[in-house]
Amino acid sequence: MAGASSPLEVLDRSRRRAPISPVVAASKFDRRLGKILTHATEVFYEKGYEGASMRDLSRASDMSLAGLYYYFESKEKLLYLIQKHTFTTVVARLRERLNHSSDPEARVRIFILNHLEYFLANQKAMTVLSHEDDVLKNGFGQEIAALKREYYQICTDLLDDFKRRSRLDFSSRIAVLSLFGMINWIYTWYNPRVDANATELARQMGDTFLRGICGVASKGARKRKSVVSNSSN
């Protein structure tokens, strides 16, 4: 992500303004951009990316159509900013939390909790990201793909560390993809009236996932031991 432009820089790269406090300007821009992205997320959630028009987006964000086009030349730019904001936020929060623990199992659980907390609080954004996963093209798509690879690699590194410290043997690729399959599709069934909150849900999912890969590793070890024993007889 080094050298990547922030959503604020993308939004205001070419603007020329009268002298104003940088802190005040950034804060004002961030708040305005955040509101626009929230409204755009709701429109994409309700209408789908293909069904949403720039007019729908301008109406929802309370901006003129000309004003919206001035900052965002297309609805693809808005979808790009929604996805970029989501992944940069999730990764930044995760890295901050991981700094407070060196225990491999705890760090895997931190990953699960961080993911669930964010996406349960932003279910519409999660739906849009899942349903419009392959819409972005060219530079936009490449940048978001790089962010996703970074997130995937963080999870892989955490599981590799857990596997090494626990002296287990399992496929990190299968484990990572299985974990994402468990936590990414929660928006399709989660009901806050009957399901646990993010903290308890993360604990239960963490137990299920970690016991599962430990069980697979133990079974594999027993099988290899049996093969070696039979071959020596």
Side-chain angles (χ1 to χ4, degrees):
M1 287 189 294
S5 299
S6 70
L8 175 59
E9 292 169 332
V10 172
L11 178 63
D12 200 47
R13 192 190 305 276
S14 62
R15 300 291 288 158
R16 294 292 182 269
R17 296 178 176 273
I20 188 171
S21 166
V23 174
V24 173
S27 177
K28 187 175 181 180
F29 249 156
D30 284 339
R31 288 196 300 269
R32 182 58 174 153
L33 177 60
K35 289 181 180 179
I36 292 172
L37 295 185
T38 296
H39 292 312
T41 298
E42 291 175 352
V43 172
F44 289 142
Y45 175 81
E46 295 293 338
K47 294 178 174 286
Y49 178 79
E50 291 299 331
S53 68
M54 286 293 279
R55 190 172 298 279
D56 294 326
L57 294 164
S58 70
R59 188 180 300 115
S61 58
D62 198 28
M63 290 182 68
S64 68
L65 187 59
L68 193 65
Y69 269 116
Y70 182 78
Y71 286 111
F72 311 99
E73 66 270 23
S74 67
K75 63 181 182 179
E76 184 182 21
K77 173 66 76 64
L78 280 166
L79 181 61
Y80 155 74
L81 289 174
I82 290 169
Q83 295 207 20
K84 180 171 183 176
H85 173 72
T86 297
F87 283 109
T88 54
T89 301
V90 169
V91 170
R93 290 181 179 182
L94 174 61
R95 290 195 182 281
E96 172 62 25
R97 285 177 155 179
L98 290 174
N99 286 335
H100 299 290
S101 177
S102 59
D103 178 73
E105 178 177 334
R107 287 163 66 84
V108 173
R109 289 182 180 275
I110 286 171
F111 183 95
I112 296 172
L113 176 61
N114 186 74
H115 189 99
L116 291 179
E117 275 189 343
Y118 185 86
F119 284 110
L120 287 181
N122 300 274
Q123 290 190 64
K124 289 184 178 180
M126 188 175 187
T127 302
V128 170
L129 263 62
S130 298
H131 289 188
E132 315 298 348
D133 182 59
D134 59 350
V135 169
L136 298 177
K137 306 299 181 185
N138 303 319
F140 287 158
Q142 292 170 6
E143 185 174 348
I144 299 304
L147 290 172
K148 291 179 179 179
R149 285 194 298 271
E150 178 187 6
Y151 194 44
Y152 174 90
Q153 189 59 51
I154 292 172
C155 189
T156 301
D157 290 344
L158 292 174
L159 282 172
D160 282 343
D161 190 33
F162 174 76
K163 178 168 59 175
R164 183 169 51 253
R165 293 279 292 273
S166 302
R167 297 183 179 180
L168 297 173
D169 184 18
F170 57 83
S171 167
S172 294
R173 169 181 163 78
I174 293 176
V176 170
L177 293 177
S178 297
L179 178 58
F180 278 126
M182 180 187 296
I183 60 181
N184 276 345
W185 289 94
I186 189 172
Y187 77 93
T188 63
W189 56 262
Y190 182 75
N191 183 344
R193 290 176 295 181
V194 297
D195 294 317
N197 61 24
T199 301
E200 176 59 18
L201 200 60
R203 185 190 67 77
Q204 293 185 31
M205 284 189 166
D207 288 346
T208 300
F209 174 70
L210 291 169
R211 289 171 183 169
I213 58 176
C214 288
V216 169
S218 298
K219 183 177 180 181
R222 289 196 301 270
K223 183 176 180 180
R224 287 191 298 275
K225 184 177 180 180
S226 176
V227 170
V228 171
S229 176
N230 290 336
S231 64
S232 63
N233 291 335

Coordinates of all heavy atoms in Angstrom, one line a residue, residues 17 39 61 102 133 153 161 187 196 209 219:
R17 N -7.4 25.9 -3.3 CA -8.3 26.6 -2.4 C -7.6 27.8 -1.7 O -6.3 27.8 -1.6 CB -8.8 25.6 -1.3 CG -9.7 24.5 -1.9 CD -10.1 23.6 -0.8 NE -11.0 22.6 -1.4 CZ -12.3 22.7 -1.5 NH1 -12.9 23.9 -1.1 NH2 -13.1 21.8 -2.0
H39 N -23.8 7.0 1.8 CA -24.9 7.1 1.0 C -24.8 6.2 -0.3 O -25.7 5.6 -0.7 CB -25.2 8.5 0.6 CG -25.7 9.4 1.7 ND1 -26.6 9.0 2.6 CD2 -25.2 10.6 2.1 CE1 -26.8 10.0 3.5 NE2 -26.0 10.9 3.3
S61 N -26.9 11.4 -1.8 CA -25.8 12.1 -1.1 C -26.1 13.6 -1.0 O -25.3 14.4 -0.4 CB -24.5 11.9 -1.8 OG -24.5 12.4 -3.1
S102 N 1.6 -11.4 21.3 CA 2.6 -12.2 20.6 C 2.2 -13.7 20.6 O 2.9 -14.5 20.0 CB 4.0 -12.0 21.2 OG 3.9 -12.4 22.6
D133 N -17.8 -7.8 -6.4 CA -16.4 -8.2 -6.2 C -15.5 -8.0 -7.4 O -14.4 -7.6 -7.4 CB -16.2 -9.6 -5.7 CG -14.8 -10.0 -5.4 OD1 -14.2 -9.4 -4.6 OD2 -14.3 -11.0 -6.0
Q153 N -2.6 -12.4 3.0 CA -1.2 -12.8 3.4 C -1.1 -12.6 4.9 O -0.4 -13.4 5.6 CB -0.2 -11.9 2.7 CG 1.3 -12.4 2.9 CD 1.5 -13.8 2.4 OE1 1.1 -14.1 1.3 NE2 2.0 -14.6 3.3
D161 N 2.4 -19.1 11.6 CA 3.1 -18.9 12.9 C 2.4 -19.9 13.9 O 3.1 -20.5 14.7 CB 3.0 -17.5 13.4 CG 3.8 -17.2 14.6 OD1 4.9 -17.8 14.8 OD2 3.4 -16.4 15.5
Y187 N -23.0 -12.2 6.6 CA -24.1 -11.3 6.3 C -25.3 -12.0 5.8 O -26.4 -11.4 5.8 CB -23.5 -10.2 5.4 CG -23.4 -10.6 3.9 CD1 -24.5 -10.4 3.1 CD2 -22.3 -11.3 3.5 CE1 -24.4 -10.8 1.7 CE2 -22.2 -11.7 2.2 CZ -23.2 -11.4 1.3 OH -23.2 -11.8 0.0
A196 N -25.3 -14.3 18.7 CA -24.5 -13.7 19.7 C -23.9 -12.4 19.1 O -23.8 -12.2 17.8 CB -23.4 -14.6 20.1
F209 N -13.0 -23.2 14.4 CA -11.9 -23.2 13.4 C -10.6 -23.8 13.9 O -10.0 -24.7 13.3 CB -11.7 -21.7 12.9 CG -10.5 -21.6 12.0 CD1 -10.6 -22.1 10.7 CD2 -9.3 -21.0 12.4 CE1 -9.5 -22.0 9.8 CE2 -8.2 -20.9 11.5 CZ -8.3 -21.4 10.3
K219 N -5.0 -35.9 13.0 CA -5.4 -37.1 12.2 C -4.3 -37.4 11.1 O -4.0 -38.6 10.9 CB -6.7 -36.8 11.5 CG -7.3 -38.0 10.7 CD -8.7 -37.7 10.1 CE -9.2 -38.8 9.3 NZ -10.5 -38.5 8.7

